[in-house]
Amino acid sequence: MPYFDAASAAPLHPVARQALLASLDDGWADPARLHREGRRARLLLDAAREAAAEAVGCRPDELVFTPSGTAAVHSGIAGALSGRRRVGGGLLVSAVEHSSVLHAADAHGARGGTVTEVPVDRSGAASAAGYADALRPDTALACLQSANHEVGTVQPVAEVAEVCAAAGVPLLVDAAQSLGWERPAEGWSVLAASAHKWGGPPGVGLLAVRKGVRFAPPAPVDERESGRSPGFGNLPAVVAAAASLRAVRAEAAAEAARLRALVDRIRSVVAERVPDVEVVGDPVRRLPHLVTFSCLYVDGETLLHALDRAGFSVSSGSSCTSSTLTPSHVLRAMGVLSEGNIRVSLPAGTTGADVDRFLELLPGLVGEVRERLGAPVADSTAAASPAAPVADSTAAASPVAPAAAPARPSARDPEAPGARTPGTRTPGADAPEGSLVVDALGRRCPIPVIELAKVIGDVPVGATVTVLSDDEAARLDVPAWCEMRGQEYAGERPAGRGTAYTVRRLV
């Protein structure tokens, strides 16, 4: 069964397995003790620290091991903020940081600190100019990931670090997704990473703090790991993490070139064979093994399960795959389509045959999901553009279930609280002649957009369709549909229990 979710957790590298088993025999003692067993354990710990420091590009005494990558991020942010508390309580984060960074930022805000979110462009990239604009005299710390975990876009770490250094602000880099591929760009002050992202065992993180950076450990300190990661660490796992990091970096150049070619094939073939798909993330400045795309009129969870039954393990950022029913914060910050989202991240050793089989099955599975949801087979208003490719024979769907019941437009004023009368489709009160209001309240992604597509051809050019929805994903997906279809997104407004999204027909 092909595993295409290496960005969540990479399979355990053979070197990690070997090192783990070997160190279980010699690495069980306390490395802080002076007896023979303690000295043997200390030698293993020191060798692991040196190997990890070499991969990171820092001094061994600047690096400590933590219980996880999340623990490294939380300790790094809290320690840097505490060490610079006299400067102020300002914290900068990009809008697409990993949730561990955003959770730490939320906690800092709850304690009275100031959090500023730096926006990204449509590819998911932050900019040095964006950080320069956000820096203030009271900024104590800035955070930026080395590469995005959902769409693979590589961030301009060196440029942002230069801007931060000029302002005297340390930069924390979350290098979890990229450390297995390359040494981080110069200029960082604090760095965090996680072993299970590169093929090491879970439960091991790295935290590096450059000499000279003001840092006050947030937790009660003890004599271990420079006081930055208290407690008796899992030495066999640490040894395995360091050994596997050295091994994957030795293989990185050749494997990156091979996987990049496979991902390039996925990016091009998906856009050719799957109608109405948006491949997101920077096509050039990206991780070599990761690609993300969103399929219009598709329920992400249903597609994910269909791929799982077909033998492919992938992940998704669609809101319908989440217990929160909100779209991925990364896709939201980028302003791209979120429905039917699939992330493919190839582990080392992925074969071309596995990728080819995935590409053969995907169009048919997408077609089946769309048929089940009652999506329009063809949209006569679709604009001819690269974002809306024409369907080919590979996307033919087979009936798998009755079509979903349509959304039911409202005969009441869409602004009125509780204005939901199922089964009606009416003109908007103050809209151009021929305009319609479609009630999709209570319907989750991608139903609001499907119903919009069904009725847009019923209104004259210049008229509008207003979709009432209480699904947060509609805030992304309605504008994205307009861009893919060449229609005008006229904006949104509160409407009772939900939001009214207005689209003007142009073609």
Side-chain angles (χ1 to χ4, degrees):
M1 179 173 180
Y3 176 78
F4 287 178
D5 195 21
S8 293
L12 193 66
H13 193 281
V15 168
R17 184 183 301 276
Q18 295 167 6
L20 181 63
L21 293 176
S23 58
L24 286 172
D25 292 330
D26 293 328
W28 49 267
D30 186 348
R33 301 300 170 228
L34 299 179
H35 46 61
R36 181 180 61 252
E37 293 80 4
R39 294 195 304 273
R40 187 180 299 133
R42 184 72 195 189
L43 287 173
L44 289 174
L45 178 58
D46 289 345
R49 197 185 313 277
E50 289 176 6
E54 180 183 1
V56 168
C58 67
R59 294 168 36 165
D61 61 350
E62 293 176 325
L63 184 145
V64 301
F65 295 103
T66 64
S68 67
T70 294
V73 165
H74 290 175
S75 296
I77 292 176
L81 288 171
S82 178
R84 286 174 50 82
R85 59 188 177 276
R86 291 184 180 178
V87 172
L91 173 64
L92 300 187
V93 299
S94 84
V96 294
E97 293 300 309
H98 188 269
S99 59
S100 62
V101 173
L102 299 183
H103 291 160
D106 289 343
H108 177 62
R111 291 191 295 267
T114 302
V115 180
T116 302
E117 196 171 86
V118 180
V120 297
D121 62 20
R122 196 171 175 83
S123 74
S127 69
Y131 273 79
D133 291 343
L135 287 167
R136 303 185 316 185
D138 68 342
T139 300
L141 178 67
C143 300
L144 178 64
Q145 59 193 189
S146 58
N148 186 259
H149 51 293
E150 286 194 30
V151 301
T153 298
V154 173
Q155 301 291 356
V157 170
E159 293 88 341
V160 171
E162 185 176 350
V163 167
C164 291
V169 175
L171 177 66
L172 181 146
V173 171
D174 173 10
Q177 288 295 334
S178 68
L179 190 59
W181 296 108
E182 61 183 1
R183 178 177 287 188
E186 294 295 328
W188 56 266
S189 303
V190 183
L191 182 140
S194 185
H196 73 277
K197 302 294 186 181
W198 67 67
V204 179
L206 305 180
L207 174 63
V209 181
R210 293 287 195 191
K211 292 294 183 183
V213 174
R214 291 186 175 275
F215 191 93
V221 300
D222 62 16
E223 69 279 6
R224 303 178 192 277
E225 295 300 292
S226 303
R228 293 173 182 164
S229 183
F232 197 118
N234 185 347
L235 182 54
V238 164
V239 171
S244 59
L245 179 56
R246 173 180 286 175
V248 298
R249 287 284 285 277
E251 303 162 353
E255 192 64 11
R258 197 181 69 82
L259 293 181
R260 184 175 289 276
L262 293 177
V263 167
D264 285 342
R265 174 162 170 73
I266 295 174
R267 292 181 69 94
S268 62
V269 173
V270 166
E272 292 168 3
R273 296 184 184 176
V274 181
D276 300 321
V277 69
E278 183 176 12
V279 183
V280 300
D282 195 297
V284 178
R285 286 179 53 85
R286 60 174 175 81
L287 293 170
H289 68 306
L290 193 155
V291 58
T292 299
F293 52 89
S294 298
C295 305
L296 196 63
Y297 311 140
V298 170
D299 171 16
E301 184 172 6
T302 302
L303 181 56
L304 188 150
H305 286 310
L307 285 166
D308 185 57
R309 289 192 296 272
F312 291 93
S313 301
V314 299
S315 93
S316 172
S318 292
S319 63
C320 36
T321 66
S322 146
S323 60
T324 63
L325 293 178
T326 58
S328 148
H329 71 277
V330 172
L331 302 178
R332 184 171 64 244
M334 293 167 63
V336 297
L337 183 68
S338 72
E339 63 189 45
N341 180 262
I342 293 295
R343 182 186 69 181
V344 173
S345 50
L346 307 179
T350 299
T351 66
D354 285 339
V355 169
D356 288 343
R357 181 168 167 264
F358 173 81
L359 293 172
E360 289 170 3
L361 289 172
L362 180 67
L365 295 177
V366 170
E368 289 181 6
V369 174
R370 286 172 172 164
E371 173 117 0
R372 178 184 301 179
L373 293 173
V377 175
D379 188 348
S380 61
T381 66
S385 70
V390 178
D392 64 15
S393 59
T394 63
S398 60
V400 294
R408 294 164 290 203
S410 174
R412 301 184 189 175
D413 179 1
E415 301 281 359
R420 183 167 187 263
T421 304
T424 58
R425 180 186 297 171
T426 68
D430 299 319
E433 185 177 355
S435 298
L436 292 175
V437 175
V438 175
D439 182 353
L441 291 169
R443 310 301 300 276
R444 296 301 175 189
C445 68
I447 298 301
V449 175
I450 289 176
E451 295 306 317
L452 167 62
K454 286 180 178 179
V455 303
I456 192 69
D458 296 345
V459 303
V461 172
T464 62
V465 174
T466 297
V467 179
L468 306 181
S469 177
D470 52 1
D471 185 356
E472 182 66 24
R475 183 164 280 112
L476 287 180
D477 295 343
V478 172
W481 179 89
C482 291
E483 182 169 333
M484 297 174 77
R485 284 290 178 262
Q487 310 295 355
E488 178 188 346
Y489 179 60
E492 65 180 71
R493 65 183 189 278
R497 295 188 295 107
T499 302
Y501 302 94
T502 301
V503 174
R504 180 172 287 105
R505 182 180 177 183
L506 299 182
V507 295

